[in-house]
Amino acid sequence: MSDAFKVSIGLETHVQLDTRSKIWCGCANVFGSEPNTDVCPVCLGYPGTMPVLNREAVRLTVMAGLMLGCEINRYSKFDRKSYFYPDMPKNYQISQYDLPLCLGGGVEIMVDGQPKNIRLNRIHLEEDVAKNNHFEGFSGVDFNRAGTPLMEIVSEPDLSSAEEAFAYLQALKQMLVYGGISECNLEQGNMRCDINCSVRPAAQEQLGTKTEIKNMNTFKGVLRSLTYEIKRQIDVVSSGGRVVQETRRWDDEAGVTRSMRSKEDAHDYRYFPEPDLMPVVLSEQEIEGWRASLPEMPTTRRQRFVDEYGLPDYDAGVLVADKAVADFFEAVARDAGNPKAASNWMMTEMLRVLSADDLEIADIKVTPAALAVLIRLVDEKAINNTGAKEVFAELVANGGDPKAIVEAKGLAQVSDTGALNTWVEEAIAAHPNVVDDYRGGKRAALQFLMGQVMRASQGKANPPMVLQALRDKLDS
Amino acid sequence: MAKFADHNETFSLAGLQQGTFSSVEWVTDLLQRIERSDKTINAYISTDGEWALEQAKAADQRRASGEAGPLCGAPIGVKDVLNVQGQPCHCASRILEGYTSPYDATAVSRLRDQGAVLLGRLNMDEFAMGSTNENSAFGAVRNPWNPDFVPGGSSGGSAAAVAAGSAWAALGTDTGGSIRQPASFCGRVGLKPSYGRVSRFGLTAFASSLDQIGPITQTVSDAATLLTALAGHDAKDSTSLKQAVPDYSSALKGDLRGMRLGLPKQYFIEGMDQEVEAAVRQATEQCRELGAELVEVSLPHTEYAIATYYIIATAEASANLARFDGVRYGAREAGSDPLDQYGKTRAAFFGPEVKRRIILGTYVLSSGYHDAYYLRAQQVRTLIRRDFEDAFKQCDALLTPVAPTTAYRIGERTADPIQMYLGDIFTVTANLAGICGLSVPCGFSSADLPIGLQILGPAFGEETILRVGHAYEQSTDWHVRRPPLWAGTAS
Ligand SMILES: [Zn+2]
C-alpha cells in the first residue's frame, strides 16, 4: 500500500449468540436441522403472533459489552427496521435503533508489536433472518435461522489496513469465545460482517467516500476483499477518479469486489419503536452481578500463566490464544502437579498434532487426565522420555489409559541396577577405543556409550542411572 | 323450538345456568337464526355449525358434571381478526384466502377454557380499517335496526350479530373506536379495555400500540362477565400488564352517589347531530339523578387527536401488514422475482382502504418526513394522555357521546375518507391514551337509529366505568329494545 494514502475501515460484525432458544420464541437455536423444522408461528411471522424477549440474549449482549469496555444503557429499546425480502418473515426486522444495549468500548489489537485500540461505536441486539437457498430453477427459504439472537458490534473506522481488520476479527472472536457469548463458528455462520472502507490522500483530514462490502463470512475473505478494495480505491483516486458510494459484493472466486447497488437505491428502513415489546430496563444490581460473573479475559489469563505457573510470556501467549487449549493446559497442570511439564507437552507435542491434522483440541482423543498421568509416570521415573513419546502417540491415535499402554507396550523403565550394570559392562567391553577416548578427555565418548546401553535395553533403561553407572565404572 | 318462542326473554346466560335450555338447544336455535338474519345483515363471514354443536355438547356435559363457570355453553361470535386454531382468519381480506390458523389467540383460548361455544367468524372492515364495515372482501354488513344503514365498524359484524340476536355476545377489537362505535350504532354495549388489560396475542395486528380486544354484549353485566374471563397477564404478550384481575361482575353495585362524572367540553361540539347531543345530555342528567355529581372538564388537545391517531395507526399498520406477501400463507400472485411477486400479490388482494393506509403509514415514517409526522404525533399523543390524567384528577369517569352522529346510510361516507375519519373524533382519544371506554345505549334518533353514551375511565379503571354503565342501563330500558331484525324474525 502506498504511504500517500490513508485507509479507514470500520466493521459491522454480526455474532449469533449461544442461547438455547431463539430470541422471540421457544424454538431451538441450533445449527444443521432439517430445513423449516425449528420453526413456529412466531418465527414464521404468522398473523397475530408477538415476540417475547429472551432475557438470556440480553445477558450475553451485555456481557460482551462489559468485556469490551462498553457503557451499558440502563434503558434500551427495540425498533422495527422495514424492508421487503424473502428472508424476513415479517418484512421488518426487530433491531435496536437509537437506544442500543451497549455504547462505546474498544478492541485491542497488536500492530507491529504495539497495542492499538479500535474504538467501538455500539453493540445492539437484533434477530437473525432466514436463509435463502437457490436451486436449479427455484429458490427455497429455510426459516430455522430466523429469530436467532444476533448481536451487531459496530466499530469506528479506526482500522487502517486489511491486516488490522483481520487482527480485529481474531481478537474479537477470541474474547467472545472466552466469554461464552458465541461459539463464533464461521462455518456455521456464527460470525459475519459488513465492511466499510474508504481511502484518502495522507494530507487530507476528512474521510474519503466509503464503499460497503456486505455479508463476509470468513476472516480470510475479509483480508482478501479489503486488500483488493483498498487497491481499487487508491487506483481510482490516483487516476483522478472518484470513488462512488455504493454497496459492493465480494466475488471470492474471481477475487474482486463488484458493484451491487448505489446510494440512490439505498433502503429507507423507516425505523420506529417496536410496539410489541416493552423497553429493556436493566438495574444496577443486575449489571453488577453480570460484571462479577465475567470470565477471565485472554490478556489477564496470559499474565496469570506467567505469574502462577512460571511460564515464559511467549508460551503463555500461545496457550491462551485458544480458550480450549488454555483450559486443557490448566487441567493437565493441576492434575499432574507439574505446570512446566504440562506446558512443554502442550507447546511441543500437542500443538504439533493439532496443526498437523488441522484439529480442534476438542476433537482429540487425549484427555487432560491422561496427559497428566503420563507426566506423573515420567516424574516418577516409571518411564523415560522416549517411552513417554510413544505413549503419547498411542493416546493420539487411540486414546486410552497411559498406564495400560505402558504395560501393553512393555515401556516400563528399567531401574534395576543388576540389569543396568550388565548392559554397562557389555558396552565398555565391546568398545575399548571409545573408553580410551573418554579417559583421554573426550567427553562426547560418554554419549556414545550411553547410546549403546539404551539400545541394548531397547530404550527402557533409566538414563540418569545409566549415566551414573558409566561414570562409576570409567572414572574409578 | 318452543322454548325460544319468546327469544327476547331467554336471551341470557341465566337460561343455561337455571337449566331452562341446554347449550346444544341454544346453539341449534342460533345457527338457524344466523342463517335467516344473515340474508339481510351479513354479520358472519363463516360459521362452523358442526364444530359449534360439538363444543355445545361438551359444555352441556361439563355443566352436568357440576364444574361449569358462568360462560360454560355461552354462544359467542369472534371477529375475523382473531386466530382460532383450525379455523380461517381472513381479516375480511382476500389476501388471507386459504389461510388456516395454527393456534388460538389467548383471548379465544381463555373463553374456550371456560366452555364458551364459538359460533363462527364475524365480518368486519378489512384488517379492522374502517368505521362502517363497508370495507370487507365479504360484503358490507347492514344495521339490524335498518338495513339501509351501516352497523359501524370495524367490528360491524360483531355488533350487528349481537344486536340481531344471532350471538349471545361477540368479541371485537378496538383500535380507534372499533368496538364502541358499532356497539353504539347497533344499540348494544361495547367495552374497550385499557391497553394491556387483555392479551393481544393472536389478534392480527392493525396498530399494535392502540389495539385492544373487548366484548360487545346485550348488557353491561354480560360485558363484566366476559372481561373477567378475558383479562390478565399473558406471557405471550409482553405488553399485557401483570395487574390483578378483579371479579368485574361484583363491581356492578349500587347507584352513583359519591361519584364525580366529568363532561369534557371538547366532546360537545358545534355541528354534531342535535339528536345525539340531546340524548347524551339526557343520559348525563339521568346519571345526576342517580347520585353522581357532574363537572365540566377540559381535554385541550382533543382537536389534534384525529391527525395524531391516523399517523400513528397507519405507521404501525404499514409494518404490521408487511408480512402479507404470499410467501408463507394466504393468496399469491406470481411475479418475475420475489419483490415483483410481493407487489403483484399486495396489489391484487388488499382492498383500497387498506392500501390507502399502508401508503399513508409508509409516508409518515419515510426519511425526511418521519420527524415532522411520526415523531410529532408521538409527542402529541403524550399531551393527550396527560389531558386525561389531569381530567381524572377531577372526576372518576367521563361521559361523552360515542360518535357525533347516528349510523350513516350505506355508501354515504365511502366517497370521502376524511369525513369518515372525522367520525372517530370521540373514540380515538381513549386508544391514544391507553384508557378504557364503554359504550351503552342511551336513546334513539327520530329515524329509529340507536344513540350511544360513552363512559371513559382511567387506565385499569374498568370497574368504575362498568359500575356507571350498569347503574345507568338499569335505570333505562334502551338495552331491552329489539331491532326489527331481531333474530331474523322480520324482513
Ligand atoms: Zn419459533
Side-chain angles (χ1 to χ4, degrees):
Chain A
M1 187 192 39
S2 157
D3 285 343
F5 287 92
K6 278 186 180 161
V7 177
S8 297
I9 301 162
L11 296 183
E12 291 165 16
T13 313
H14 296 89
V15 180
Q16 291 182 333
L17 301 176
D18 193 9
T19 55
R20 273 205 300 280
S21 53
K22 292 188 181 182
I23 188 167
W24 315 125
C25 61
C27 289
N29 174 22
V30 289
F31 178 83
S33 305
E34 281 293 303
N36 297 314
T37 52
D38 293 320
V39 293
C40 73
V42 174
C43 56
L44 287 173
Y46 267 54
T49 58
M50 298 177 72
V52 176
L53 177 61
N54 181 345
R55 293 292 293 193
E56 178 64 2
V58 173
R59 187 186 71 87
L60 290 177
T61 306
V62 172
M63 290 282 278
L66 292 170
M67 277 163 41
L68 296 167
C70 303
E71 200 180 300
I72 309 302
N73 265 329
R74 268 51 174 173
Y75 180 95
S76 144
K77 68 173 173 71
F78 290 94
D79 301 274
R80 290 185 183 177
K81 176 182 180 179
S82 287
Y83 65 93
F84 282 91
Y85 203 66
D87 64 8
M88 278 301 324
K90 305 180 292 295
N91 287 315
Y92 61 81
Q93 182 188 27
I94 304 177
S95 182
Q96 296 194 286
Y97 183 54
D98 54 344
L99 287 172
L101 280 166
C102 313
L103 287 171
V107 175
E108 191 181 283
I109 60 169
M110 296 300 283
V111 180
D112 303 326
Q114 295 298 313
K116 176 177 175 180
N117 182 51
I118 307 305
R119 291 170 304 150
L120 297 182
N121 176 284
R122 58 188 270 158
I123 305 178
H124 68 251
L125 180 58
E126 60 188 25
E127 58 181 324
D128 207 345
V129 297
K131 201 164 166 34
N132 295 341
N133 295 299
H134 304 287
F135 308 100
E136 193 97 7
F138 73 104
S139 293
V141 189
D142 178 5
F143 289 95
N144 285 350
R145 195 176 74 178
T148 299
L150 196 68
M151 171 175 77
E152 182 171 334
I153 304 172
V154 183
S155 87
E156 296 292 351
D158 287 355
L159 297 157
S160 40
S161 71
E163 291 73 21
E164 285 186 20
F166 186 79
Y168 166 87
L169 288 170
Q170 280 189 315
L172 204 54
K173 175 180 170 181
Q174 194 188 43
M175 293 185 79
L176 296 174
V177 172
Y178 256 84
I181 309 300
S182 170
E183 290 177 10
C184 292
N185 186 325
L186 295 165
E187 279 80 45
Q188 297 183 2
N190 289 167
M191 212 173 163
R192 306 170 330 244
C193 71
D194 300 336
I195 306 171
N196 287 293
C197 173
S198 68
V199 303
R200 65 185 193 278
Q204 183 181 315
E205 193 74 13
Q206 201 194 341
L207 294 185
T209 305
K210 67 177 181 184
T211 61
E212 187 177 20
I213 310 172
K214 281 270 191 201
N215 237 330
M216 302 301 301
N217 48 24
T218 65
F219 292 1
K220 278 255 165 61
V222 170
L223 188 66
R224 291 179 62 216
S225 64
L226 266 172
T227 306
Y228 173 88
E229 180 63 14
I230 290 165
K231 181 172 180 307
R232 185 190 72 85
Q233 290 192 15
I234 288 176
D235 287 350
V236 168
V237 178
S238 303
S239 56
R242 277 192 169 181
V243 173
V244 180
Q245 182 170 349
E246 62 184 354
T247 301
R248 300 179 71 84
R249 187 177 59 82
W250 170 241
D251 181 337
D252 198 69
E253 244 167 71
V256 298
T257 63
R258 296 184 199 282
S259 181
M260 259 173 83
R261 55 168 189 262
S262 72
K263 191 190 171 195
E264 282 68 45
D265 337 305
H267 290 297
D268 179 358
Y269 291 123
R270 307 192 303 278
Y271 281 102
F272 75 96
E274 168 56 85
D276 284 341
L277 290 167
M278 301 300 268
V280 181
V281 181
L282 298 172
S283 70
E284 213 61 36
Q285 197 184 5
E286 210 167 3
I287 294 171
E288 288 318 309
W290 291 338
R291 195 192 299 279
S293 74
L294 276 181
E296 190 179 30
M297 284 296 104
T299 43
T300 323
R301 195 173 203 186
R302 177 177 184 159
Q303 191 54 49
R304 184 168 62 79
F305 279 13
V306 171
D307 298 341
E308 191 176 326
Y309 300 125
L311 303 189
D313 182 61
Y314 174 80
D315 293 12
V318 171
L319 290 177
V320 303
D322 181 339
K323 179 173 186 286
V325 169
D327 289 346
F328 195 105
F329 158 73
E330 284 220 81
V332 176
R334 214 177 30 242
D335 276 14
N338 185 347
K340 268 265 160 48
S343 164
N344 285 339
W345 277 100
M346 295 300 293
M347 293 293 293
T348 54
E349 300 304 315
M350 188 63 92
L351 292 182
R352 184 181 52 74
V353 169
L354 293 182
S355 75
D357 298 342
D358 201 19
L359 291 174
E360 295 289 330
I361 200 150
D363 307 331
I364 208 153
K365 289 181 177 141
V366 191
T367 63
L371 185 52
V373 168
L374 184 58
I375 289 170
R376 279 192 187 279
L377 287 174
V378 174
D379 287 350
E380 290 158 3
K381 303 192 172 34
I383 53 171
N384 60 33
N385 282 333
T386 319
K389 279 185 184 157
E390 209 175 320
V391 174
F392 184 78
E394 174 61 21
L395 287 173
V396 168
N398 299 309
D401 168 29
K403 282 184 176 154
I405 296 168
V406 168
E407 193 86 10
K409 292 193 177 271
L411 292 171
Q413 188 162 259
V414 178
S415 306
D416 167 29
T417 39
L420 285 182
N421 282 335
T422 313
W423 289 324
V424 165
E425 278 160 18
E426 279 171 10
I428 289 172
H431 303 93
N433 300 343
V434 181
V435 172
D436 289 347
D437 286 351
Y438 175 77
R439 290 202 170 123
K442 207 170 170 187
R443 313 295 297 177
L446 194 63
Q447 288 307 313
F448 175 82
L449 292 170
M450 175 93 191
Q452 294 304 308
V453 175
M454 292 309 288
R455 186 189 295 172
S457 75
Q458 292 175 307
K460 287 189 254 180
N462 180 330
M465 287 180 76
V466 173
L467 202 60
Q468 195 55 50
L470 278 170
R471 285 208 176 110
D472 289 350
K473 289 267 180 313
L474 295 172
D475 296 347
S476 60
Chain B
M1 218 172 281
K3 278 181 196 174
F4 294 98
D6 192 3
H7 196 68
N8 205 354
E9 290 304 307
T10 56
F11 212 76
S12 83
L13 297 184
L16 273 180
Q17 284 153 6
Q18 291 155 9
T20 317
F21 47 79
S22 70
S23 181
V24 168
E25 287 173 318
W26 198 1
V27 169
T28 307
D29 180 66
L30 277 170
L31 289 170
Q32 292 164 3
R33 287 170 191 273
I34 290 167
E35 208 172 305
R36 283 201 302 275
S37 62
D38 256 19
K39 284 182 186 134
T40 312
I41 63 171
N42 194 31
Y44 284 83
I45 287 176
S46 64
T47 53
D48 188 338
E50 209 174 303
W51 186 48
L53 286 167
E54 261 173 51
Q55 297 171 73
K57 205 171 150 190
D60 285 336
Q61 281 165 0
R62 189 164 157 184
R63 189 168 286 285
S65 76
E67 304 163 22
L71 289 174
C72 187
I76 292 172
V78 171
K79 189 178 180 181
D80 196 33
V81 77
L82 295 165
N83 282 268
V84 177
Q85 188 172 2
Q87 297 289 312
C89 182
H90 289 103
C91 301
S93 180
R94 290 186 60 207
I95 208 157
L96 275 166
E97 236 163 56
Y99 169 75
T100 303
S101 295
Y103 72 101
D104 272 345
T106 299
V108 167
S109 67
R110 286 191 173 161
L111 294 186
R112 289 179 68 175
D113 288 349
Q114 299 256 329
V117 175
L118 307 185
L119 292 167
R121 310 204 51 84
L122 290 162
N123 208 340
M124 55 186 272
D125 282 300
E126 184 178 358
F127 285 104
M129 295 175 179
S131 312
T132 63
N133 215 134
E134 291 166 291
N135 308 324
S136 167
F138 296 85
V141 176
R142 287 166 184 269
N143 194 315
W145 292 91
N146 185 335
D148 293 335
F149 288 79
V150 304
S154 65
S155 311
S158 301
V162 173
S166 58
W168 166 68
L171 289 187
T173 61
D174 190 315
T175 307
S178 283
I179 287 174
R180 291 160 288 160
Q181 183 254 27
S184 163
F185 281 11
C186 291
R188 285 297 167 263
V189 173
L191 171 64
K192 182 205 98 71
S194 311
Y195 189 75
R197 179 73 290 189
V198 177
S199 167
R200 291 184 292 117
F201 184 78
L203 154 61
T204 307
F206 159 17
S208 312
S209 75
L210 302 161
D211 294 341
Q212 268 292 294
I213 298 169
I216 293 178
T217 55
Q218 314 290 338
T219 64
V220 174
S221 164
D222 289 349
T225 304
L226 276 167
L227 183 64
T228 306
L230 293 169
H233 175 68
D234 174 16
K236 293 178 188 150
D237 173 3
S238 315
T239 68
S240 69
L241 296 188
K242 285 181 181 146
Q243 180 100 213
V245 181
D247 176 5
Y248 289 104
S249 300
S250 63
L252 310 180
K253 282 193 195 113
D255 54 28
L256 301 180
R257 265 174 297 185
M259 291 193 96
R260 285 164 72 92
L261 299 177
L263 307 181
K265 59 181 178 192
Q266 291 83 358
Y267 284 59
F268 295 89
I269 49 170
E270 281 294 304
M272 68 187 287
D273 187 308
Q274 292 300 303
E275 289 182 326
V276 169
E277 178 166 7
V280 172
R281 293 249 183 234
Q282 180 63 42
T284 64
E285 279 312 309
Q286 181 81 12
C287 289
R288 194 208 296 275
E289 278 171 33
L290 291 166
E293 180 191 347
L294 300 183
V295 290
E296 187 176 272
V297 296
S298 178
L299 298 165
H301 296 94
T302 303
E303 61 173 308
Y304 307 111
I306 289 286
T308 303
Y309 171 81
Y310 276 95
I311 288 168
I312 292 172
T314 57
E316 292 180 8
S318 72
N320 280 329
L321 271 64
R323 70 190 65 201
F324 303 105
D325 57 20
V327 173
R328 286 142 297 133
Y329 44 75
R332 177 192 298 178
E333 188 84 4
S336 56
D337 61 50
L339 292 183
D340 185 47
Q341 178 189 304
Y342 292 2
K344 289 194 165 125
T345 299
R346 292 161 67 82
F349 299 113
F350 277 142
E353 182 63 23
V354 171
K355 286 179 191 164
R356 185 179 296 128
R357 296 199 192 190
I358 289 173
I359 291 168
L360 188 57
T362 304
Y363 177 80
V364 299
L365 286 173
S366 305
S367 104
Y369 301 97
H370 179 279
D371 290 3
Y373 291 107
Y374 181 75
L375 204 64
R376 179 65 63 89
Q378 289 292 13
Q379 289 161 346
V380 176
R381 183 176 187 175
T382 303
L383 297 176
I384 289 170
R385 183 180 296 134
R386 283 197 197 133
D387 278 359
F388 280 105
E389 283 165 11
D390 291 344
F392 288 124
K393 283 175 193 153
Q394 302 161 55
C395 59
D396 300 297
L398 301 169
L399 300 179
T400 83
V402 176
T405 66
T406 51
Y408 323 125
R409 204 168 269 281
I410 296 261
E412 185 185 327
R413 296 276 171 120
T414 40
D416 187 353
I418 299 292
Q419 211 45 47
M420 191 173 76
Y421 297 169
L422 289 175
D424 301 337
I425 176 78
F426 302 143
T427 46
V428 295
T429 48
N431 303 77
L432 289 168
I435 62 172
C436 57
L438 182 69
S439 168
V440 288
C442 71
F444 287 85
S445 70
S446 48
D448 266 342
L449 291 168
I451 298 168
L453 167 72
Q454 177 172 239
I455 307 163
L456 296 174
F460 291 84
E462 280 83 355
E463 286 174 283
T464 307
I465 59 172
L466 287 166
R467 181 179 158 199
V468 174
H470 181 71
Y472 170 75
E473 175 194 80
Q474 293 303 306
S475 71
T476 67
D477 68 352
W478 308 118
H479 64 290
V480 295
R481 296 213 192 166
R482 301 303 184 204
L485 269 172
W486 175 246
T489 46
S491 107

